[in-house]
Amino acid sequence: MVKKYSVKELLNKGKLFIDKKVLIEGWIRSFRYSIFVTLNDGSTIQNLQIILSNKLDKKLIKKITIGSSIRVIGIVKKSIGTKQYIELQSLKITIYESVDPVIIQKSILQPKKHSLEKLREQAHLRFRTNIFSCIMRIRHHIAFCIHKYFHEHGFFYLHTPIITTLNCEGTGRMFQITTMDLKKKLVDYEKDFFKCKTYLSVSGQLEAETASLGLGKVYTFGPVFRAENSNTSRHLSEFWMIEPEIAFYHLKENINLAENFLKFIIRYIIDNSMEDLIFLNKYLEKWNQKKKNYLLEKLELILKFPFKKISYTEAIKILDEEEKKKNIKFLHPIIWGMDLQSEHEQYLVDKYFKIPVIVFDYPCSIKAFYMRMNNDGKTVRAMDVLFPEIGEIIGGSQREERYDMLLQRMKDTNTDKNKLWWYLDTRRFGSVPHSGFGLGFDRLVQFVTGMNNIRDVIPYPRTPKNAEF
């Protein structure tokens, strides 16, 4: 029986397979001179060249078209060409399904450059393109190493509910879930499926906090949903979040964890996805007019230096001084108490420090109710990690563990304590200092791959006015 291999296995261990009979399956990327077939199975960015036998039935040759799926048994030979080390001399070919050449001409599988917008229109086919398969493999490796990191550091993976009755952040619109007819003037939610108003969750943080107060270290990794009408290159309506929560952690430990975690991910991707990174680097150079080695240098920068850590007050001072000294005109005026905008974050990272920055101790007025109040009564123990080009990539804080202080903050922010009685209750049963943060997974993939639009790093993007496929 002939053993089946992936294209990646054959190409990575080419010398070991020379003169051996193997079985390979995949999709045809190109077909030249009725002899050379280029095959790809998704396991790697590279293709395998297959040399067709001159004894092949002419009727079968006519069925060999771009996009067709085939099964090939052949002998591995050292290639006489310079573009590949090995090639496969076919002995037997089975065509699973042939594709009409006329259909191919209308699809993104046609071997020519297509815009990323065009690829999104045929999202069900874009997994077969070089650029998107490359991004998806990197996405997989990032997800895998996230689980690897937390497992190796003693965290437990927690599945928090997707259906919820509350808004963790207290801001932003949520998608409602109901079995009721909302066209009626009076809707009795006592008769609804859950007997109350329910929504798709924007975060699993509060539930994760309760788990950390029994398990010590937990993390969530799942989909979350925001119904905000933000139709930008950095926002999705459905996206994935990683949210670790750690008992007995203060803000400084939380900051160190975030930096260590991000560096672990970048190092892992450089070590395990270099083939795909090199392809993306060439793509960005050619089509996005990026400088040579742009992507690799950007990733290496994350590893090269410790992240710069400054307080919010220091950040405001720097921005104010830079605006006056260099006559910079920020769109949003620099005032203590304001929420830092993207232009401010990117200036601090890209222009001033030129390395990742962690800003901490934000004004309590612009942060969520659950963040621990500092002794000054004005700021909370919050922190944001800012990355080159994209700005905030992580947001986190030390949580308010004191019952009375948490209750007061809920009153100050008009947060319904009746819905969060269980969250308050944890502060009455052996409460401890604890911290955590949230990392937008898709935004991290966007940073690692260098893509301009977040819609191009998720299989099927969900955005305002778009839920196709």
Side-chain angles (χ1 to χ4, degrees), residues 172-175 225-237 455 462-466:
R173 300 186 64 183
M174 301 172 71
F175 293 103
F225 309 84
R226 290 184 190 267
E228 294 170 357
N229 193 22
S230 299
N231 209 349
T232 76
S233 61
R234 297 175 61 210
H235 291 89
L236 293 165
S237 301
R455 293 170 176 85
R462 297 291 183 250
T463 54
K465 298 186 173 74
N466 176 49

Side-chain angles (χ1 to χ4, degrees), residues 50-243:
I50 297 170
I51 312 298
L52 299 185
S53 168
N54 53 17
K55 297 178 181 179
L56 200 63
D57 191 318
K58 291 184 178 179
K59 290 183 179 179
L60 186 65
I61 290 177
K62 287 184 179 180
K63 293 182 180 180
I64 297 176
T65 57
I66 293 170
S68 298
S69 51
I70 63 173
R71 178 180 187 269
V72 184
I73 295 176
I75 305 293
V76 177
K77 294 291 182 180
K78 187 173 181 179
S79 178
I80 59 173
T82 57
K83 292 185 177 180
Q84 59 277 322
Y85 181 76
I86 61 168
E87 57 193 18
L88 189 66
Q89 291 185 356
S90 67
L91 298 174
K92 183 180 178 182
I93 291 183
T94 302
I95 297 178
Y96 287 124
E97 183 158 350
S98 185
V99 179
D100 186 339
V102 176
I103 296 176
I104 283 290
Q105 293 298 316
K106 297 178 182 178
S107 79
I108 59 174
L109 300 183
Q110 183 184 1
K112 72 171 192 177
K113 181 182 181 292
H114 299 283
S115 69
L116 294 171
E117 289 80 5
K118 183 69 175 177
L119 297 189
R120 284 179 225 134
E121 291 174 6
Q122 298 181 30
H124 59 301
L125 297 177
R126 64 179 180 167
F127 298 96
R128 304 256 294 273
T129 64
N130 282 334
I131 184 71
F132 200 69
S133 64
C134 193
I135 292 167
M136 288 299 105
R137 282 189 292 271
I138 290 176
R139 186 181 173 100
H140 156 77
H141 283 296
I142 295 174
F144 176 81
C145 78
I146 286 169
H147 288 295
K148 176 180 171 67
Y149 178 88
F150 285 127
H151 178 72
E152 291 177 355
H153 287 78
F155 285 74
F156 298 104
Y157 182 29
L158 187 73
H159 298 132
T160 53
I162 290 175
I163 298 173
T164 184
T165 60
L166 56 99
N167 183 346
C168 171
E169 298 294 333
T171 58
R173 300 186 64 183
M174 301 172 71
F175 293 103
Q176 187 175 348
I177 298 174
T178 182
T179 56
M180 304 289 287
D181 182 1
L182 297 181
K183 293 179 181 178
K184 293 181 179 179
K185 289 184 178 180
L186 296 175
V187 179
D188 183 2
Y189 286 102
E190 279 290 322
K191 296 179 181 178
D192 206 351
F193 189 87
F194 293 106
K195 288 193 170 185
C196 61
K197 273 190 177 183
T198 51
Y199 308 88
L200 291 177
S201 179
V202 299
S203 171
Q205 178 201 310
L206 301 188
E207 292 88 351
E209 274 190 63
T210 66
S212 73
L213 295 176
L215 293 170
K217 295 180 177 181
V218 302
Y219 74 102
T220 74
F221 189 170
V224 292
F225 309 84
R226 290 184 190 267
E228 294 170 357
N229 193 22
S230 299
N231 209 349
T232 76
S233 61
R234 297 175 61 210
H235 291 89
L236 293 165
S237 301
E238 176 188 67
F239 53 101
W240 288 69
M241 285 286 289
I242 301 103
E243 295 175 299

Side-chain angles (χ1 to χ4, degrees), residues 14-37:
K15 291 181 180 179
L16 301 178
F17 290 105
I18 289 177
D19 293 329
K20 289 186 178 180
K21 184 187 286 188
V22 300
L23 186 157
I24 196 84
E25 295 170 311
W27 297 272
I28 296 173
R29 285 285 176 87
S30 68
F31 184 29
R32 299 177 291 116
Y33 310 120
S34 299
I35 299 175
F36 303 107
V37 169

Side-chain angles (χ1 to χ4, degrees), residues 225-357:
F225 309 84
R226 290 184 190 267
E228 294 170 357
N229 193 22
S230 299
N231 209 349
T232 76
S233 61
R234 297 175 61 210
H235 291 89
L236 293 165
S237 301
E238 176 188 67
F239 53 101
W240 288 69
M241 285 286 289
I242 301 103
E243 295 175 299
E245 289 291 331
I246 317 97
F248 306 103
Y249 253 46
H250 295 266
L251 181 65
K252 185 176 180 180
E253 295 167 294
N254 197 37
I255 287 173
N256 292 338
L257 173 70
E259 179 175 358
N260 185 266
F261 176 53
L262 287 168
K263 287 188 173 183
F264 178 88
I265 294 169
I266 300 301
R267 171 49 60 197
Y268 185 92
I269 294 305
I270 290 174
D271 291 343
N272 292 275
S273 298
M274 185 53 72
E275 185 180 77
D276 286 320
L277 288 175
I278 289 172
F279 175 84
L280 282 174
N281 205 76
K282 291 179 180 177
Y283 169 85
L284 293 168
E285 286 175 19
K286 187 173 182 180
W287 302 116
N288 288 12
Q289 306 299 309
K290 298 290 186 181
K291 68 177 184 178
K292 191 173 183 180
N293 292 327
Y294 151 79
L295 185 58
L296 299 177
E297 288 180 1
K298 183 179 78 167
L299 296 179
E300 289 286 357
L301 178 67
I302 305 301
L303 304 175
K304 195 172 182 180
F305 303 103
F307 294 179
K308 181 65 181 178
K309 301 168 183 70
I310 60 171
S311 70
Y312 168 88
T313 301
E314 289 176 286
I316 289 293
K317 183 180 179 182
I318 289 169
L319 292 168
D320 184 50
E321 289 176 351
E322 286 290 290
E323 190 173 42
K324 292 173 181 175
K325 186 168 61 177
K326 297 185 178 179
N327 198 28
I328 299 166
K329 296 295 181 184
F330 290 117
L331 186 63
H332 299 85
I334 306 299
I335 303 170
W336 196 98
M338 65 173 292
D339 201 357
L340 293 180
Q341 302 299 311
S342 293
E343 60 174 336
H344 307 133
E345 295 172 343
Q346 290 179 10
Y347 186 86
L348 288 170
V349 177
D350 298 329
K351 303 290 185 184
Y352 194 82
F353 292 110
K354 299 183 179 178
I355 56 172
V357 177

